[in-house]
Amino acid sequence: MRLTVVGNPGNRRVDLFTRAVLTAGLPRPQVLPWVDVLTGAAPPGADAVVRIDSPGEDAEVDRLLRRSAVPARHGELVGLADTYAGLLRGLDRVAAGGAELLNDPADVAVLCDKRRCHARLSAAGVPVPAALPPVHGWAQLRSAMAAARSSRVFVKPAHGSSAAGVVALAVAGRRVQAVTTIEATPDGLYNSLRPRRYTDEAEVAAIVDRIAADGLHVERWLPKAGLGDRVVDLRVVTVAGRPAHAVVRAARGPLTNLHLGNARGDLAELRAAAGPAAWAAAMETCERVAGCFPRTLQVGIDLMFLVGWRRHAVAEVNAFGDLLPGVLTDGRDTYAEQVRALADGRWERWRATAGRATARGDAAVREASSGDAAMRTASPGDAAGGREVLACGV
């Protein structure tokens, strides 16, 4: 097996996967830099097996994806729709050589568009937060919230990642509170590792209007279960259709991403709180999510148990969500598990089985993905009495 990684040389994702390959006794994978892909390098040939890794954390790659003459300023939220379009062009170039891809470009295209991903999950019966109709700015957002009788929503850039640009919005009469990673300045919006709270409606409106230019996905803010004084959710990585690794993300505010300074929680404690039946149901949901992307070796699922622990929902599915350093299952990290699935034939067997099942439901998925009705999917509703309320501490 000749492995190639499309990624950014020196990035820890590439390094960790390379280490897993070498530990398995396989030849060192070739690394095809994203810069080379985007500047016309020949794609991997038909004899290659290709892992496509995240193009993030490289200023020049970001500039090329956006087809911009100048790089973005550090942390600047700019051109998210252009970045997505550039990613799709890059995926097409990688696929042109006929290699076996471990990340299907069509799957990645859906995974990196929150609107399309939500529609696909909903069509497959995956529990997801109900989405509001498409909105293109603050005025439409307030109207849509009023029509849906929803006082709390998450406003997400359609093509964002790592909570960049996400706004956790709560309204109560004339009171507005937005918790977000966005730092608003006169010359642009910047992603911050320190979430900020905005309570002035004019400021919040200006932020929403600015991020709306690249497309928005808005969904109900469901009350998460908590452990101690923190709300919790999970990142679950599936490999070849199976939940393989999970990490608990515990936060005092609504944004649980670990890189924002939140804590890793105790998985055993969470499983005990949920109980065997609720845990098993959640893992079955993760398998269903993986089955929505049967031509992709791994996906990272953000799963939340709701207050009371009896219900759960999927908040996000990530194309490049397998970076969980130090999280081991049977002594293997997420990268070693993927290499094992390739070596022992599990990936090939699952892909064939899941692909047949998915083909039967493709028509429903396409219909759900194409219209505004998909953005109004029914799902677990806003429960009263949740931990994440307008006056909560963040």
Side-chain angles (χ1 to χ4, degrees):
M1 179 168 46
R2 177 190 160 207
L3 283 163
T4 297
V5 179
V6 176
N8 295 326
N11 185 278
R12 56 182 175 165
R13 297 172 181 269
V14 174
D15 291 345
L16 287 168
F17 184 76
T18 298
R19 184 177 69 183
V21 171
L22 296 176
T23 300
L26 298 172
R28 178 179 292 274
Q30 178 182 349
V31 177
L32 175 58
W34 266 110
V35 166
D36 292 354
V37 169
L38 299 173
T39 53
D47 59 338
V49 177
V50 179
R51 169 186 168 86
I52 301 172
D53 223 324
S54 170
E57 302 179 14
D58 187 293
E60 178 62 8
V61 170
D62 173 71
R63 185 189 70 79
L64 291 168
L65 288 170
R66 292 184 293 108
R67 288 182 168 175
S68 173
V70 296
R73 290 164 288 193
H74 181 69
E76 186 178 14
L77 289 169
V78 60
L80 298 181
D82 290 337
T83 300
Y84 175 73
L87 173 65
L88 300 191
R89 289 192 299 271
L91 294 172
D92 286 344
R93 292 179 183 178
V94 174
E100 176 185 346
L101 304 183
L102 303 181
N103 325 60
D104 178 67
D107 283 351
V108 176
V110 172
L111 288 163
C112 293
D113 186 323
K114 291 180 173 59
R115 302 162 298 190
R116 296 177 63 191
C117 187
H118 185 279
R120 178 173 290 191
L121 297 176
S122 179
V126 173
V128 290
L132 272 63
V135 300
H136 306 286
W138 178 252
Q140 286 186 337
L141 174 61
R142 288 301 304 266
S143 295
M145 291 177 67
R149 297 182 180 179
S150 181
S151 62
R152 301 186 304 159
V153 296
F154 272 86
V155 183
K156 303 178 179 181
H159 309 298
S161 63
S162 302
V166 171
V167 179
L169 175 66
V171 298
R174 296 183 178 180
R175 298 174 63 201
V176 173
Q177 177 175 280
V179 178
T180 178
T181 59
I182 295 174
E183 179 183 359
T185 72
D187 65 339
L189 301 180
Y190 294 85
N191 190 44
S192 171
L193 296 181
R194 183 177 65 84
R196 286 164 163 74
R197 181 192 301 170
Y198 296 88
T199 56
D200 179 83
E201 182 169 359
E203 283 187 288
V204 177
I207 289 172
V208 170
D209 286 340
R210 288 164 78 175
I211 62 174
D214 283 315
L216 295 177
H217 172 68
V218 183
E219 59 190 30
R220 288 181 183 269
W221 176 347
L222 301 182
K224 296 177 184 175
L227 294 173
D229 62 348
R230 297 175 186 244
V231 297
V232 292
D233 62 15
L234 288 162
R235 167 64 57 84
V236 180
V237 175
T238 63
V239 176
R242 299 180 191 169
H245 295 74
V247 64
V248 179
R249 309 185 304 184
R252 292 191 172 91
L255 305 178
T256 59
N257 302 69
L258 293 176
H259 73 282
L260 299 179
N262 296 312
R264 287 190 181 188
D266 188 314
L267 182 60
E269 183 183 8
L270 183 146
R271 291 187 63 167
W279 177 261
M283 293 305 101
E284 288 175 5
T285 289
C286 290
E287 291 183 7
R288 183 178 295 181
V289 171
C292 292
F293 306 97
R295 294 172 293 274
T296 294
L297 175 59
Q298 63 77 27
V299 292
I301 302 163
D302 293 345
L303 181 138
M304 52 187 170
F305 286 95
L306 307 187
V307 167
W309 296 98
R310 293 190 303 274
R311 295 184 300 161
H312 62 269
V314 172
E316 302 270 353
V317 189
N318 304 273
F320 309 113
D322 55 351
L323 180 62
L324 301 183
V327 178
L328 305 179
T329 298
D330 297 330
R332 295 183 296 274
D333 67 9
T334 58
Y335 302 101
E337 186 66 26
Q338 291 171 64
V339 173
R340 183 170 182 259
L342 293 174
D344 67 11
R346 180 157 53 93
W347 155 243
E348 189 62 37
R349 293 191 298 272
W350 176 76
R351 180 172 58 171
T353 302
R356 288 195 296 270
T358 301
R360 293 193 291 269
D362 273 349
V365 172
R366 286 194 296 271
E367 182 180 353
S369 300
S370 63
D372 288 353
M375 309 311 293
R376 295 187 288 274
T377 303
S379 66
D382 267 332
R387 293 168 177 265
E388 295 164 69
V389 296
L390 183 62
C392 69
V394 293

